[in-house]
Amino acid sequence: MYFKGSLFFTLSFFSHHRFSHYIHAFRRNLVAVICALVLAGDAFGSSALQGAAVNDSIRQRLEAWSAGYPAKISSAPIRNSALLNAYYEETGFAPLWLKDSGRAFNSAALELISVLQGVDKEGLLPADYHIAYLGQLITEPSEISSDAELVLTDAFLFLAQHILAGKVDPETLTNEWKPAKEVVDARALLTKVASNVPIADIVQSLRPRQPRYARLVKTLAWLNSAQAPEWEPLALSPAIKKGMADTRLSPIAERLRFWGDLSESEETFTHYEGELLEAVTRFQRRHGLEPDGVVGKNTLLALNVSPVQRANDVVVNLERWRWLDQNMGDYFIVVNIANFDLRVYKSNELVMQKPVIVGRNYRKTPVFSDKIRFLVFNPTWTVPQKLAVQDKLPEIKKDISYLEKYGFTLYALGENTVVNPADVEWDKLHKRFPYRMVQAPGPLNALGQVKFMFPNAYDVYLHDTPSRELFSKTERAFSSGCIRVSDPIELASKLLEPNGMGIDQINEVLSSAKTTTVNLKTPVPVHIEYWTAWVDSSGKLQFRNDIYERDKPLFSALTLPIE
């Protein structure tokens, strides 16, 4: 109406002007053209005006937030207002999710809402992405406006960030976990939406690319859909051994059938033997327990864990995948702290697996990624100050010959001056230890024959150990934070293959008893991780004890709606 009225006002003005006789013919022809445009294009004009109104409404909202007004629509807080303002200003405030009328969602919006409604399949909360507000608009489309446009963009960016890098910042839970902290490229993602790239494809591009993540997502779907019976806790004693009769055998068989360790036969077991014993052994292996077939306390504790709790375990491990660097490398090492093992992968194929020893609960091995850059053969060991005070000082006070017995040399702190232990007043030393302890290479050296170095803020690395008997234990949390490898020479030969250095050359270096550093021709990524649930390459669902008690705090943070 404004367009038509303005033109007729202009024509009226000229008709009373002193030059009207010059434009009389022009006026007559122009009126005819305008009438034709109005009759033929009224619908187009109306759509263009409505589109402009939507753009202007978006602009006004964003300008208000930039001026300091709360970034909120209805009860939905807008968490990406700065990103929204930057993108929409660049694109002239054109909507991404609304049809030209501004009163209906386009197909991209409907697809996004569907994705948001299903994010619980990946252990995320739909409520975190304005789904209540958007769901109401689906049932009441008359309420759709430019506000819905901004809510959808905010939800999309928020979801994208969570899929890429996780919802919870692990450093708010522990200082022993260093995430990759990737950040979404908001402009690139929104440009894809504007280019009609399917939302599902965009979200898929942000997910962890490792097959292990996808396998866990499928497991969560199965656990959420399975109709598991209510399980009463089984008594933890006495242990059930081969040939014994026990009233707990029936519920044990029921649980083993649910988990797939026992066939679906209707057989009733009166004695613990045969197929039931074999199923228990399979269950023990999948839970990192001693596969001795004895239904003892630890096995019963694992059998008492419900499918609902196991689903929670899967949820927290999906989040941990999102914390990882998306590019793990083509050739890389993974240490799973909770499984006490090290694995070497090449092109996603497992090429080596070895047991390891990790940090005790009060000296937890941290979680982070880095690259092994060099190896040190026949290493010396400089005792960290904290360990010197807490571990070594009590031993020295008991027996001053401890230093000589284990090959330690004492230096003045910050100097290379050797100190005679007999000159030290050990009884006066407590929390302060003004010395540096260095252990010489040899069979008693705490680092063994080789250490694998990836310099980091935690001063943690992989190394050999003289205490090889500890590898026979099922749970191996005995170190002060570093990771002890069971077959370090084999690992060293694998890493040094690109250097052209084999076992013979390594043994030659070791036999020299000299400390020797060898730089890797190509640094190898190492990812120190913490998995308590995963599906292996053969499709077996694996669970491990939460030795550092990290699962429950993380699950609580994941299930807490974001305010």
Side-chain angles (χ1 to χ4, degrees):
M1 289 298 296
Y2 174 81
F3 172 75
K4 290 184 282 187
S6 297
L7 283 172
F8 279 113
F9 170 80
T10 303
L11 293 174
S12 176
F13 171 79
F14 275 111
S15 68
H16 293 85
H17 199 272
R18 61 190 179 92
F19 297 110
S20 61
H21 60 281
Y22 292 110
I23 55 91
H24 180 72
F26 171 76
R27 177 179 179 275
R28 184 173 63 249
N29 293 334
L30 184 59
V31 168
V33 171
I34 291 172
C35 289
L37 285 172
V38 170
L39 290 173
D42 189 64
F44 170 79
S46 175
S47 176
L49 287 171
Q50 288 174 333
V54 173
N55 292 26
D56 192 54
S57 180
I58 292 171
R59 179 186 59 78
Q60 290 178 19
R61 271 287 192 188
L62 293 171
E63 286 178 351
W65 295 341
S66 298
Y69 286 91
K72 184 179 289 189
I73 290 176
S74 184
S75 60
I78 303 300
R79 304 177 184 93
N80 296 285
S81 58
L83 293 176
L84 267 62
N85 188 67
Y87 174 77
Y88 282 104
E89 186 174 17
E90 185 178 320
T91 59
F93 306 98
L96 280 171
W97 313 101
L98 304 181
K99 292 184 177 179
D100 291 339
S101 65
R103 289 289 181 182
F105 289 137
N106 59 23
S107 59
L110 295 175
E111 185 186 1
L112 175 58
I113 292 171
S114 177
V115 169
L116 296 175
Q117 289 171 331
V119 294
D120 56 331
K121 296 174 184 175
E122 296 187 61
L124 297 171
L125 292 183
D128 288 336
Y129 312 102
H130 310 312
I131 200 62
Y133 174 87
L134 295 169
Q136 183 179 356
L137 295 183
I138 293 292
T139 58
E140 300 179 22
S142 61
E143 299 297 320
I144 295 174
S145 67
S146 58
D147 283 352
E149 166 74 21
L150 297 175
V151 171
L152 276 165
T153 306
D154 186 63
F156 173 72
L157 293 178
F158 210 41
L159 174 66
Q161 183 61 42
H162 288 175
I163 291 292
L164 178 68
K167 169 183 173 178
V168 178
D169 181 352
E171 292 183 293
T172 63
L173 302 176
T174 174
N175 59 4
E176 296 148 350
W177 202 302
K178 193 71 175 176
K181 288 192 174 179
E182 297 188 59
V183 179
V184 298
D185 184 338
R187 184 181 180 281
L189 293 182
L190 295 174
T191 299
K192 287 183 178 181
V193 175
S195 301
N196 297 317
V197 177
I199 303 300
D201 291 354
I202 298 174
V203 173
Q204 178 60 30
S205 71
L206 300 170
R207 288 188 178 99
R209 292 185 286 274
Q210 290 292 318
R212 290 177 286 169
Y213 180 84
R215 293 198 291 261
L216 267 187
V217 170
K218 289 182 180 178
T219 298
L220 181 60
W222 168 67
L223 286 170
N224 286 337
S225 63
Q227 296 182 347
E230 291 293 329
W231 290 346
E232 292 295 326
L234 300 172
L236 302 182
S237 63
I240 307 173
K241 298 182 180 180
K242 183 178 180 180
M244 292 177 61
D246 195 290
T247 57
R248 291 170 291 175
L249 293 180
S250 180
I252 287 173
E254 178 187 25
R255 296 172 196 199
L256 292 172
R257 287 191 181 102
F258 176 87
W259 292 115
D261 297 302
L262 182 63
S263 67
E264 290 292 336
S265 68
E266 296 297 325
E267 182 179 356
T268 300
F269 295 93
T270 57
H271 290 78
Y272 181 51
E273 56 191 3
E275 187 183 2
L276 184 59
L277 190 150
E278 292 172 3
V280 166
T281 304
R282 283 191 286 270
F283 179 88
Q284 289 172 328
R285 287 196 182 95
R286 289 195 308 102
H287 290 75
L289 302 171
E290 186 67 34
D292 55 11
V294 176
V295 186
K297 180 181 177 181
N298 290 336
T299 300
L300 287 161
L301 282 170
L303 284 164
N304 279 340
V305 180
S306 70
V308 171
Q309 178 57 52
R310 289 307 187 194
N312 297 346
D313 295 341
V314 170
V315 165
V316 300
N317 283 276
L318 284 171
E319 177 73 353
R320 286 173 182 145
W321 269 110
R322 296 187 283 263
W323 291 343
L324 279 179
D325 188 342
Q326 296 280 14
N327 184 16
M328 297 184 72
D330 180 63
Y331 181 46
F332 60 91
I333 293 173
V334 171
V335 174
N336 183 358
I337 297 168
N339 194 38
F340 311 104
D341 81 337
L342 173 150
R343 304 185 186 206
V344 181
Y345 288 90
K346 187 170 185 179
S347 301
N348 274 324
E349 293 293 326
L350 180 65
V351 296
M352 180 184 289
Q353 182 175 0
K354 298 294 178 183
V356 299
I357 292 168
V358 300
R360 287 166 279 184
N361 194 288
Y362 61 93
R363 286 182 184 160
K364 299 178 179 68
T365 297
V367 175
F368 64 103
S369 295
D370 212 301
K371 289 184 178 180
I372 297 176
R373 303 175 190 279
F374 61 94
L375 276 58
V376 180
F377 293 99
N378 299 316
T380 61
W381 180 43
T382 300
V383 183
Q385 280 290 298
K386 185 177 180 180
L387 296 188
V389 172
Q390 295 180 355
D391 293 4
K392 302 304 178 186
L393 185 55
E395 296 291 339
I396 298 169
K397 285 183 176 181
K398 281 189 226 174
D399 181 5
I400 196 172
S401 67
Y402 175 90
L403 290 166
E404 183 180 359
K405 187 185 301 182
Y406 288 94
F408 285 103
T409 300
L410 202 63
Y411 296 88
L413 194 62
E415 301 177 17
N416 287 323
T417 306
V418 176
V419 176
N420 187 341
D423 296 336
V424 177
E425 296 182 276
W426 294 103
D427 291 340
K428 293 184 179 180
L429 297 181
H430 299 288
K431 292 183 179 180
R432 184 173 174 272
F433 191 78
Y435 303 102
R436 176 167 52 93
M437 293 176 61
V438 180
Q439 189 177 31
L444 298 179
N445 186 284
L447 305 183
Q449 295 180 297
V450 60
K451 62 179 180 178
F452 305 79
M453 297 302 294
F454 39 103
N456 58 82
Y458 303 101
D459 198 23
V460 163
Y461 40 89
L462 306 176
H463 64 81
D464 184 13
T465 177
S467 305
R468 298 186 181 278
E469 70 282 357
L470 295 177
F471 288 106
S472 63
K473 305 289 185 182
T474 304
E475 291 203 354
R476 296 182 294 275
F478 302 119
S479 84
S480 296
C482 283
I483 300 149
R484 306 174 192 172
V485 185
S486 65
D487 292 305
I489 304 307
E490 185 178 348
L491 176 62
S493 66
K494 176 67 69 176
L495 297 182
L496 289 171
E497 282 177 359
N499 287 48
M501 190 171 179
I503 288 288
D504 291 342
Q505 292 95 325
I506 291 173
N507 287 332
E508 187 177 336
V509 171
L510 291 173
S511 64
S512 73
K514 295 180 180 178
T515 300
T516 304
T517 298
V518 179
N519 293 313
L520 294 185
K521 187 174 182 180
T522 304
V524 176
V526 57
H527 306 281
I528 303 175
E529 304 172 359
Y530 187 85
W531 305 115
T532 55
W534 71 94
V535 180
D536 64 25
S537 57
S538 66
K540 289 186 177 66
L541 180 55
Q542 304 278 340
F543 294 105
R544 295 296 183 269
N545 286 338
D546 180 18
I547 60 170
Y548 291 166
E549 300 178 342
R550 287 171 166 165
D551 284 3
K552 287 184 178 178
L554 175 54
F555 185 74
S556 296
L558 281 169
T559 54
L560 187 67
I562 297 174
E563 297 295 335

